[in-house]
């Protein structure tokens, strides 16, 4: 997730671009840059760091560029470390083209090899740079036709903005998947990943459609589809103020991030399941032989990441038959666990900076274990320490309570488990295919589920004054119960306990009485009937039951006071959708209590202390 901005008009482009980037920094902030057409050449200024660092670089660049056409970018690294050479805009060999890009070009390696064979020299590690060289390679064709060709060639979700020195009054942009908007002004046109970047200049905005190519000039905007047919923009007048525009019109970042989950999942899956439903994880830097030599796995993490790790234990054990231990990082690092060079230790962390998880993987590495980090932040401390890094590609998460990064951690662990099963021969191809198909269906399923978000929140608000809540689940629903309880504790300040449903009778059931709410995660699984029996036990003691059930489960519905329905999925895939009603549940109660969901008391997004 990166931020793109563009301007064509008569005013100096530089300050418009830089101010736009400052508004897009929430989309990524590891490097920033601008390219401005200045006479017959393109001036590029870019740097690792934040937009503030870019402003210093521009100031240091005495001859800052004065042109009125340019593009800018703030980066959230996916391919290549967050260093200046990988910052956007990227140029071709002759510096006549500049490109900004958001998203992932899945077949960039192949395109890059072809371009190198044709004599192009690359200066970055990014997938983006192929676009600049492709423009150069296609010669003097109109830029709009070239961009259409590139969109045909490039696989994956992407948004691009391109300028060329020989077209001094033109930006051409295109998108597939990744967002892009255009703004209409008088004698000027604007381009951006998101509305806040241009809202101070114009309120007349249109969303660019998928596989549309846009030509922006001072005189206006023209849009075509990939076949060159004209497309009429749907222009809207935006009424939001700037602050709510930064949250995409949502009340809070947490809600925005809940709604971003389909896109976050799509990006995390990109390139990892092929059309034959085989799993690919080239980042796991292990030969099949080395992967087969692993005889034990540990997962270490904290908080929400620990709950994703717990799900990973179920998936890896079931699919690979490798034994998996799961540990809270602050326990693992001091308990002298038994590790050796045949142990894989997976450190899971959204931030990649959590002190305990970082120390745990450093400890494991010192014992000779093979360390895999999974994180959402490219080049974070854990990414630098680990032997291999698997990235979730959720984009920056700003709400303190993790939501979109959690579902991405779940699918990434499902992918890792299937990949290990595939190379170890632990699962047959047909089973991998069934699971991979179900994983691929998740972004759409989550999208559909979110269409019912208002209903789920309405149901949840009935429980605003609840004081005691148990979240129960069995098997792979147990980590989801733990996560539901954590969400409610941290943002709604309700005492909530996540518990294995079958364990209640060994003590906690003494707490069940009228007025206690039990949230049962009872999606279809081989333990479904047992979970329902445990729910009966709660009901018999006068608890109120809010249940997460698989669509069509009339038996479960019969027991419940309230039901949140989720779509059918294989048992080990179902947690991804099952957690979403619980995120909405906590969110709705927190809002109903008038609390600050994005910044709950006593909490920090990244915990770099023990
Ligand atoms: C809860 C939450 C925290 C984090 C925990 C670990 O919503 O966000 O529990 O999961 O602090 O953080 P990371 O994943 O950055 O290591």
């Amino acid at each position: 997730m990166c931020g793109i901005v563009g301007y064509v008009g008569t005013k100096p482009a530089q300050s418009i671009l830089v101010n736009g980037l400052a508004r897009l920094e929430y989309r990524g902030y590891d490097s920033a840059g601008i390219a401005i057409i200045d006479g017959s050449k393109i001036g590029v200024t870019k740097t690792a760091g934040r937009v503030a660092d870019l402003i210093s670089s521009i100031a240091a660049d005495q001859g800052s560029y004065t042109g009125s056409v340019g593009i800018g970018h703030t980066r959230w690294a996916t391919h290549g470390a967050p260093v200046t050479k990988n910052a956007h805009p990227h140029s071709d060999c002759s510096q006549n083209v500049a490109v900004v890009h958001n998203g992932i070009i899945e077949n960039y390696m192949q395109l890059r090899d072809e371009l190198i064979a044709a004599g192009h020299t690359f200066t970055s590690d990014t997938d983006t740079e192929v676009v600049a060289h492709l423009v150069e390679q296609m010669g003097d064709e109109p830029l709009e036709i070239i961009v259409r060709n590139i969109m045909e060639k490039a696989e994956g979700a992407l948004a691009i903005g391109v300028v060329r020195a020989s077209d001094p009054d033109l930006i051409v942009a295109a998108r597939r998947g990744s967002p892009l908007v255009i703004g209409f002004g008088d004698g000027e046109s604007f381009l951006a990943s998101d509305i806040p970047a241009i809202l101070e200049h114009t309120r007349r905005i249109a969303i660019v459609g998928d596989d549309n190519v846009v030509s922006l000039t001072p005189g206006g905007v023209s849009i075509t589809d990939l076949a060159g047919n004209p497309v009429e923009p749907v222009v809207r007048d935006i009424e939001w103020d700037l602050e709510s525009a930064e949250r995409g019109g949502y009340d809070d970042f947490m809600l925005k991030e809940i709604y971003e989950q389909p896109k976050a999942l799509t990006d995390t899956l990109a390139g990892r399941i092929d059309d034959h439903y085989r799993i690919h994880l080239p980042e796991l830097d292990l030969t099949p032989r080395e992967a087969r030599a692993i005889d034990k796995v540990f997962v270490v993490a904290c908080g929400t990441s620990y709950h994703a790790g717990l799900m990973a234990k179920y998936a890896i054990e079931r699919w690979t038959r490798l034994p998996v231990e799961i540990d809270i990082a602050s326990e693992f690092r001091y308990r002298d666990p038994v590790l050796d060079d045949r142990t894989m230790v997976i450190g899971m962390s959204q931030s990649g900076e959590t002190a305990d998880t970082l120390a745990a993987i450093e400890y494991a590495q010192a014992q000779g274990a093979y360390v895999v980090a999974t994180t959402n932040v490219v080049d974070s401390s854990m990414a630098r320490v680990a032997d291999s890094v698997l990235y979730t590609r959720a984009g920056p998460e700003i709400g303190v309570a993790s939501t979109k990064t959690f579902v991405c951690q779940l699918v990434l662990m499902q992918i890792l488990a299937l990949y290990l099963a595939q190379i170890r021969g632990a699962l047959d191809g047909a089973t991998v295919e069934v699971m991979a198909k179900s994983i691929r269906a998740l972004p759409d399923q989550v999208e559909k589920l979110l269409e019912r978000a208002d209903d789920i929140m309405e149901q949840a608000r009935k429980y605003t004054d609840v004081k005691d809540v148990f979240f129960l689940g069995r098997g792979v629903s147990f980590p989801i119960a733990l996560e539901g309880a954590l969400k409610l504790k941290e943002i709604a300040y309700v005492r909530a306990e996540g518990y294995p449903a079958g364990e209640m009778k060994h003590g906690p059931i003494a707490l069940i009485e009228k007025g206690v709410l039990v949230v049962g995660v009872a999606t279809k699984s081989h333990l479904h009937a047992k979970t329902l029996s445990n729910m009966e036990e709660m009901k018999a003691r006068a608890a109120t039951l809010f249940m997460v059930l698989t669509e069509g489960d009339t038996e479960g519905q019969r027991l419940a006071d309230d039901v949140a329905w989720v779509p059918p999925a294989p048992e080990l895939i179902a947690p991804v959708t099952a957690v979403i009603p619980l995120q909405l549940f906590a969110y709705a109660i927190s809002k109903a209590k008038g609390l600050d969901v994005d910044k709950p008391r006593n909490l920090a997004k990244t915990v770099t202390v023990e």
Side-chain angles (χ1 to χ4, degrees):
M1 183 157 136
C2 304
I4 289 176
V5 64
Y7 174 74
V8 288
T10 50
K11 297 178 191 145
Q14 187 178 289
S15 60
I16 295 173
L17 296 177
V18 170
N19 291 344
L21 291 181
R23 301 253 175 237
L24 290 176
E25 244 187 338
Y26 76 89
R27 298 182 64 84
Y29 37 75
D30 54 46
S31 58
I34 54 172
I36 294 178
I37 302 188
D38 203 10
S40 58
K41 58 181 181 19
I42 297 180
V44 176
T45 309
K46 59 185 185 177
T47 183
R50 293 181 165 248
V51 175
D53 300 301
L54 176 65
I55 293 170
S56 309
S57 300
I58 292 171
D61 247 358
Q62 298 286 319
S64 30
Y65 308 103
T66 54
S68 300
V69 176
I71 51 179
H73 189 270
T74 178
R75 179 166 187 251
W76 177 260
T78 57
H79 292 70
V83 294
T84 299
K85 72 167 181 171
N86 291 330
H88 299 214
H90 287 285
S91 302
D92 61 331
C93 302
S94 56
Q95 315 287 306
N96 282 325
V97 174
V99 173
V100 289
H101 162 226
N102 169 26
I104 297 164
I105 301 173
E106 288 172 23
N107 57 336
Y108 85 100
M109 284 298 253
Q110 178 206 330
L111 296 171
R112 189 179 158 111
D113 289 348
E114 287 166 13
L115 287 159
I116 290 171
H120 293 260
T121 305
F122 279 73
T123 56
S124 78
D125 308 319
T126 65
D127 50 344
T128 308
E129 198 183 338
V130 296
V131 177
H133 293 282
L134 281 169
V135 176
E136 182 178 38
Q137 178 72 16
M138 292 184 204
D140 296 330
E141 290 270 353
L143 192 52
E144 188 186 306
I145 294 181
I146 290 180
V147 170
R148 260 189 237 136
N149 280 338
I150 291 173
M151 290 305 282
E152 300 272 15
K153 276 181 188 290
E155 291 168 14
L158 67 154
I160 53 173
V162 185
V163 289
R164 187 165 67 171
S166 53
D167 294 296
D169 280 330
L170 177 68
I171 299 173
V172 178
R175 72 159 278 217
R176 181 185 311 127
S178 304
L180 209 53
V181 300
I182 44 180
F184 301 82
D186 289 331
E188 54 189 3
S189 306
F190 302 86
L191 173 74
S193 297
D194 202 357
I195 296 168
I198 53 179
L199 203 55
E200 63 178 300
H201 307 291
T202 178
R203 291 188 165 264
R204 288 171 52 227
I205 305 280
I207 310 279
V208 179
D210 261 347
D211 282 322
N212 281 185
V213 176
V214 189
S215 297
L216 300 103
T217 63
V221 173
S222 71
I223 310 178
T224 57
D225 63 18
L226 288 189
N229 302 309
V231 174
E232 208 42 55
V234 180
V235 183
R236 306 195 275 149
D237 274 317
I238 299 295
E239 283 161 17
W240 307 329
D241 58 30
L242 247 178
E243 206 191 318
S244 73
E246 272 168 339
R247 298 187 304 263
Y250 292 99
D251 285 351
D252 324 86
F253 279 105
M254 181 180 172
L255 192 62
K256 177 170 183 274
E257 286 157 4
I258 287 174
Y259 275 93
E260 281 172 354
Q261 292 181 114
K263 173 79 171 76
L265 287 168
T266 302
D267 288 348
T268 298
L269 290 175
R272 288 172 168 161
I273 300 176
D274 70 20
D275 292 342
H276 305 287
Y277 299 101
R278 300 279 296 167
I279 311 294
H280 299 272
L281 265 187
E283 314 93 297
L284 189 67
D285 201 8
L286 276 180
T287 62
R289 188 191 165 93
E290 287 163 337
R292 281 192 287 271
I294 300 289
D295 64 4
K296 184 174 182 185
V297 178
F298 276 81
V299 187
V300 287
C302 305
T304 287
S305 296
Y306 171 79
H307 300 152
L310 198 48
M311 196 281 324
K313 172 181 166 69
Y314 289 89
I316 298 171
E317 285 191 338
R318 184 87 62 83
W319 287 335
T320 70
R321 308 311 299 153
L322 277 167
V324 181
E325 281 197 43
I326 164 88
D327 257 288
I328 287 180
S330 54
E331 294 295 319
F332 175 91
R333 59 186 288 201
Y334 296 114
R335 80 167 169 85
D336 199 12
V338 183
L339 310 168
D340 60 30
D341 61 1
R342 301 186 71 174
T343 312
M344 176 185 279
V345 174
I346 305 170
M348 298 184 65
S349 170
Q350 177 281 130
S351 60
E353 301 294 344
T354 300
D356 284 318
T357 316
L358 178 61
I361 63 167
E362 283 170 338
Y363 171 85
Q365 208 165 40
Q367 307 299 306
Y370 185 82
V371 169
V372 179
T374 70
T375 173
N376 198 43
V377 182
V378 171
D379 224 27
S380 51
S381 301
M382 282 177 58
R384 288 198 298 269
V385 165
D387 299 304
S388 286
V389 192
L390 307 179
Y391 288 111
T392 47
R393 303 180 192 129
E397 192 174 62
I398 294 170
V400 163
S402 292
T403 51
K404 62 177 180 171
T405 55
F406 177 67
V407 293
C408 291
Q409 285 175 331
L410 294 179
V411 294
L412 190 56
M413 285 299 102
Q414 291 163 352
I415 291 283
L416 173 64
L418 286 176
Y419 179 73
L420 290 174
Q422 189 177 274
I423 49 179
R424 294 169 67 89
L427 278 185
D428 58 73
T431 310
V432 174
E433 179 170 337
V434 169
M435 297 305 156
K437 271 188 183 153
S438 304
I439 293 173
R440 265 215 179 157
L442 285 169
D444 281 345
Q445 288 185 332
V446 172
E447 184 95 53
K448 288 209 179 70
L449 178 49
L450 287 171
E451 285 167 14
R452 287 185 273 116
D454 285 341
D455 298 338
I456 298 171
M457 289 195 277
E458 182 72 44
Q459 286 171 305
R461 277 190 283 272
K462 283 194 262 174
Y463 303 105
T464 301
D465 296 324
V466 73
K467 299 275 179 288
D468 276 309
V469 189
F470 276 93
F471 285 74
L472 305 182
R474 297 182 77 123
V476 79
S477 293
F478 169 50
I480 299 308
L482 287 174
E483 177 60 8
L486 180 60
K487 290 282 96 84
L488 193 64
K489 282 187 260 210
E490 64 180 332
I491 63 167
Y493 313 153
V494 177
R495 195 158 305 142
E497 207 165 337
Y499 226 78
E503 181 68 7
M504 286 294 283
K505 57 187 166 295
H506 299 289
I509 200 165
L511 294 171
I512 301 296
E513 59 181 344
K514 193 168 171 45
V516 175
L517 175 65
V518 173
V519 178
V521 186
T523 49
K524 279 288 166 75
S525 74
H526 72 294
L527 295 168
H528 180 247
K530 291 186 192 302
T531 310
L532 292 194
S533 301
N534 297 140
M535 293 300 137
E536 293 267 16
E537 290 154 14
M538 302 304 121
K539 200 175 169 78
R541 283 150 185 91
T544 305
L545 300 190
F546 181 106
M547 291 174 67
V548 178
L549 297 175
T550 308
E551 282 157 15
D553 178 4
T554 46
E555 223 184 324
Q557 186 179 20
R558 194 176 43 79
L559 277 176
D561 295 284
D562 271 301
V563 178
W565 298 107
V566 295
E571 183 173 334
L572 287 166
I573 314 291
V576 179
T577 49
V579 75
I580 287 167
L582 305 188
Q583 297 169 344
L584 293 165
F585 186 90
Y587 175 84
I589 291 185
S590 174
K591 288 298 280 185
K593 289 175 139 182
L595 301 173
D596 182 344
V597 285
D598 283 339
K599 294 194 191 73
R601 68 186 180 202
N602 307 337
L603 293 177
K605 184 73 185 158
T606 302
V607 185
T608 51
V609 291
E610 261 205 67

